[in-house]
Amino acid sequence: KSNASSTEKKILKILKSVDKYPFDYKKDLDHIRELKTDFPLVDMVEEIKKWKTYKKDNPLKKKSNPRLQIRNWISNANKWSNKNKNNYKNKKQKEDQIKKQLERAEKYG
C-alpha cells in the first residue's frame, strides 16, 4: 500500500471519507492514475474535494457509479479549464489585433 504518492494518498483518503463510496484501495489507486494520465493539467485533489462537497447534497445511491461520476467531473474540469485558457488567448489575440490596427491607422492616416 505504500507505493502511492502523497497526492494519491490524499485523494484516497478523501474518497474513503465519502458516504456510501465503495472504497477499494487498488481499484481506486488505478482509477486515480488513469485520470491523472488522461487529464494531466487538472488539480485532482481540488476536484475530488469539490466532488465530495457536491456529494453532501447529492449523496450516492445504490445504483450510482461513483468512479464514472468522478471521471466525468474531472473531464468537465479539464474542459472548463481549457475553455477559459482559450478565451483568454482569443481575447489577447483580439487586443493585439486592435492595437496593430490603431498603430497602422496612426501611421498611415
Side-chain angles (χ1 to χ4, degrees):
K1 284 189 177 185
S2 61
N3 68 342
S5 71
S6 63
T7 300
E8 291 167 342
K9 286 177 186 171
K10 279 181 198 167
I11 294 168
L12 290 168
K13 188 176 178 183
I14 296 165
L15 292 177
K16 200 172 193 176
S17 72
V18 174
D19 191 37
K20 295 187 180 140
Y21 184 83
F23 185 78
D24 177 310
Y25 183 89
K26 184 174 178 353
K27 200 183 276 189
D28 288 316
L29 183 58
D30 288 345
H31 187 57
I32 291 164
R33 288 176 174 168
E34 263 179 39
L35 292 170
K36 194 66 194 156
T37 302
D38 293 347
F39 308 105
L41 302 177
V42 173
D43 180 344
M44 295 282 289
V45 173
E46 196 52 41
E47 292 304 326
I48 295 293
K49 283 180 182 176
K50 289 178 189 176
W51 179 78
K52 178 186 175 181
T53 301
Y54 175 77
K55 289 289 109 192
K56 287 179 181 177
D57 292 321
N58 301 276
L60 291 168
K61 296 179 177 91
K62 277 221 186 277
K63 293 195 176 205
S64 293
N65 187 336
R67 290 181 189 89
L68 181 58
Q69 287 180 13
I70 290 169
R71 170 167 280 284
N72 290 336
W73 187 279
I74 300 293
S75 174
N76 285 331
N78 185 62
K79 274 184 220 157
W80 295 325
S81 144
N82 286 338
K83 206 177 275 185
N84 291 340
K85 284 181 195 150
N86 288 340
N87 286 343
Y88 173 76
K89 195 171 109 183
N90 292 341
K91 186 179 173 191
K92 181 89 176 96
Q93 285 172 339
K94 283 178 188 166
E95 288 170 358
D96 289 347
Q97 188 178 8
I98 291 168
K99 192 173 162 187
K100 284 178 186 169
Q101 287 171 341
L102 289 172
E103 287 169 359
R104 267 189 241 123
E106 284 177 23
K107 190 173 181 180
Y108 301 110

